[in-house]
Amino acid sequence: MFNKETEYALRGLVYIDLQNMGGRRPGTLEIAREIEAPPFYIAKILQRLVRAGFLRSLKGKGGGFFFDPDKPDVPIINLISSIEGDRSFSGCSFGLKQCDSDNPCPLHGKYAPIREAINKLITEETVQSLAEKVYKNEFHLNEFLK
Amino acid sequence: MFNKETEYALRGLVYIDLQNMGGRRPGTLEIAREIEAPPFYIAKILQRLVRAGFLRSLKGKGGGFFFDPDKPDVPIINLISSIEGDRSFSGCSFGLKQCDSDNPCPLHGKYAPIREAINKLITEETVQSLAEKVYKNEFHLNEFLK
DNA sequence: TTATTAAAAGACAAAAAGGTCTTTTGGTAA
DNA sequence: TTACCAAAAGACCTTTTTGTCTTTTAATAA
Ligand code: FES
Ligand code: FES
């Protein structure tokens, strides 16, 4: 579905938001351990996401990553677009230059509604809405974490 | 959705089946031109698919690629699995080790039905069913081809 | 103000995906 | 049986993805 970087980013940001709820600002090592991602890699990924404005960070003792409470929730489609580019979930499943319902490929009829469902999903869900689900114990971040 | 190799394979095999209907056995250069794929690359891809038993080929003058009329239709899920491996459309969208509805990630609820729809689609459609749609002029292989 | 802490920056590297090309093999047709 | 044709085989290359590591910068706390 998503590439590794996107997966790590999703799990990482949800974990960060979850910890922020408890007034904590997790650092790269803790995040890497909890979401089971390569430490240096998640550090690099978060660095880029901070630069892109998705969240903030603080250096030094007590430092770490956190979301600005004044900023609006982050729809995961924004995250995905920022990492994978806009190509995701817009193109033709057959690889035609563009998906055109007036000139459809033989998969279009059945694929287009699925693609729409994916777009709806990633537009509606935000990092915060996902974190909320985990917080309510309804859903899981990994096999250990509740 | 799919990777490049899968896209080329899908378009290539549908084109081959379409030509077979007219008693022709297209070769790599013709296929590459018609489906707009890199010639040497589609040659390599088809070579692998022949070896994997998806279709047959003949060398020399009048040679080319063709489907054995006695063999059953090829569901595209087989093609996709052969190229991309089984990981596609079975794993967790969040990257958890396994998708487990008793222990779901926060995307599971909305993603699982979508994944099911994808699996249904690629299980039901075959190279031949797709070629048939193109043949009936209902759907397109590329922007030039009818 | 100094030691310590943790992120930022950026170089580096391994692996996978995507693509190219040459040589060999096995067919066809004259 | 010779010339030719087209796929098979496999080496090679480029780009992208994924991942690692060292050095620098900025914040905190003693
Ligand atoms: S034309 Fe291929 S998915 Fe729309
Ligand atoms: S647990 Fe993540 S999609 Fe099922």
Side-chain angles (χ1 to χ4, degrees):
Chain A
M1 178 74 166
F2 305 119
N3 65 26
K4 289 284 180 194
E5 186 174 341
T6 304
E7 286 180 2
Y8 294 150
L10 277 171
R11 297 215 299 278
L13 295 201
V14 169
Y15 178 78
I16 291 166
D17 193 57
L18 203 56
Q19 294 304 313
N20 289 174
M21 292 178 189
R24 300 188 61 255
R25 284 192 292 259
T28 54
L29 293 182
E30 173 185 340
I31 296 167
R33 179 176 13 95
E34 294 301 322
I35 69 169
E36 302 181 83
F40 286 117
Y41 197 24
I42 191 71
K44 165 120 311 179
I45 292 168
L46 290 174
Q47 190 188 126
R48 285 194 278 245
L49 293 177
V50 167
R51 210 166 355 180
F54 286 103
L55 76 170
R56 295 174 58 192
S57 67
L58 266 182
K59 293 179 182 180
K61 210 159 202 166
F65 295 88
F66 62 101
F67 287 91
D68 188 333
D70 296 336
K71 278 194 144 189
D73 288 0
V74 179
I76 66 175
I77 193 173
N78 295 3
L79 199 61
I80 297 165
S81 296
S82 171
I83 294 173
E84 306 192 357
D86 265 336
R87 53 166 184 70
S88 346
F89 319 124
S90 60
C92 166
S93 58
F94 226 56
L96 302 192
K97 274 166 199 144
Q98 53 177 7
C99 170
D100 175 4
S101 42
D102 291 335
N103 223 35
C105 77
L107 278 175
H108 181 93
K110 293 184 176 174
Y111 176 64
I114 292 173
R115 196 183 45 199
E116 272 323 292
I118 295 175
N119 274 304
K120 183 163 184 286
L121 165 63
I122 64 181
T123 303
E124 287 176 355
E125 294 292 343
T126 65
V127 170
Q128 288 77 10
S129 72
L130 296 178
E132 194 65 31
K133 293 184 192 188
V134 178
Y135 183 73
K136 289 178 178 161
N137 255 343
E138 288 167 7
F139 298 95
H140 298 245
L141 253 195
N142 69 27
E143 58 194 308
F144 312 116
L145 208 75
K146 60 165 191 298
Chain B
M1 179 69 164
F2 304 118
N3 64 26
K4 289 284 180 192
E5 187 174 340
T6 304
E7 285 180 2
Y8 294 151
L10 277 172
R11 297 214 299 278
L13 295 200
V14 168
Y15 178 78
I16 291 167
D17 193 56
L18 204 55
Q19 294 303 311
N20 289 174
M21 291 177 190
R24 300 189 61 258
R25 286 193 292 258
T28 55
L29 292 181
E30 173 185 340
I31 296 167
R33 180 177 9 96
E34 294 301 322
I35 70 169
E36 302 181 81
F40 286 117
Y41 198 23
I42 191 72
K44 164 122 310 177
I45 293 168
L46 290 174
Q47 188 187 128
R48 285 195 278 245
L49 293 177
V50 167
R51 209 163 0 179
F54 286 104
L55 76 169
R56 295 173 58 192
S57 67
L58 266 182
K59 292 178 180 178
K61 210 157 202 168
F65 296 87
F66 63 100
F67 286 92
D68 188 332
D70 296 335
K71 279 193 143 190
D73 288 1
V74 178
I76 66 174
I77 193 174
N78 295 3
L79 200 61
I80 296 164
S81 296
S82 170
I83 294 173
E84 305 192 357
D86 265 338
R87 53 163 185 71
S88 348
F89 319 125
S90 60
C92 166
S93 58
F94 226 55
L96 302 193
K97 274 165 199 145
Q98 53 177 7
C99 171
D100 174 3
S101 43
D102 291 335
N103 222 36
C105 77
L107 277 175
H108 181 93
K110 291 185 177 173
Y111 175 65
I114 292 174
R115 197 183 44 200
E116 272 323 291
I118 296 175
N119 274 303
K120 184 163 183 286
L121 165 63
I122 64 182
T123 302
E124 288 175 354
E125 294 291 344
T126 64
V127 171
Q128 288 76 11
S129 72
L130 297 177
E132 194 65 30
K133 292 185 192 187
V134 178
Y135 183 73
K136 288 178 179 159
N137 256 342
E138 289 166 7
F139 297 97
H140 298 245
L141 256 195
N142 70 26
E143 60 194 305
F144 310 116
L145 208 73
K146 60 165 187 306

